[in-house]
Amino acid sequence: MKPSILTHQAKAVNTVLESIRKSKLLPQKVLSSLPPLGSTDGQQDPKAVLKLFYPDFSWTWYVTEFDGDDTFFGLVDGDVRELGYFSLSELLRNSGQCGMPIERDRAFQPTPLSDIS
């Protein structure tokens, strides 16, 4: 029996997730500090607990929630600033303008979204 497309996609996602768990981008301590997806709903001014960026690109992602798998929610500071969902696997698959990979700002401290300028 031939494996389905969904089986291939699931294997690809698992491979990405395993590389995330082994990477220095999101060590277990960072992963465990991220609030679950939906947990900040209704908060007036949720905190960004993680900052991701490409060193050679102008966009920045401020994470407020994580589903524990692949989906983040937070402030996306790109061409426009907006709250929304974004995928870690997509951030890892892409790179900045000079080919640099996504990085975590290790000095970033949890900050209310209203204080991010």
Side-chain angles (χ1 to χ4, degrees):
M1 183 176 209
K2 191 174 181 179
S4 71
I5 291 174
L6 291 178
T7 302
H8 288 295
Q9 289 174 337
K11 286 180 181 179
V13 168
N14 285 334
T15 301
V16 169
L17 293 175
E18 190 59 33
S19 67
I20 291 166
R21 290 182 187 103
K22 291 179 180 177
S23 77
K24 294 180 181 180
L25 179 67
L26 294 175
Q28 187 58 42
K29 182 178 178 181
V30 172
L31 287 172
S32 64
S33 72
L34 297 172
L37 204 60
S39 66
T40 65
D41 285 354
Q43 287 186 11
Q44 188 71 20
D45 194 13
K47 286 186 179 181
V49 294
L50 175 67
K51 177 183 175 183
L52 300 171
F53 67 99
Y54 295 109
D56 57 344
F57 192 56
S58 62
W59 285 44
T60 305
W61 294 263
Y62 296 93
V63 177
T64 59
E65 302 172 353
F66 182 51
D67 73 350
D69 189 28
D70 186 53
T71 303
F72 289 118
F73 183 80
L75 178 66
V76 180
D77 189 1
D79 292 334
V80 295
R81 295 181 90 187
E82 61 187 347
L83 291 173
Y85 295 93
F86 47 98
S87 163
L88 179 58
S89 59
E90 186 176 350
L91 294 175
L92 290 170
R93 278 194 312 267
N94 293 302
S95 60
Q97 293 177 333
C98 296
M100 297 186 80
I102 193 84
E103 291 187 18
R104 170 176 51 98
D105 183 341
R106 294 170 191 246
F108 184 76
Q109 295 295 313
T111 305
L113 290 179
S114 63
D115 290 345
I116 295 173
S117 55

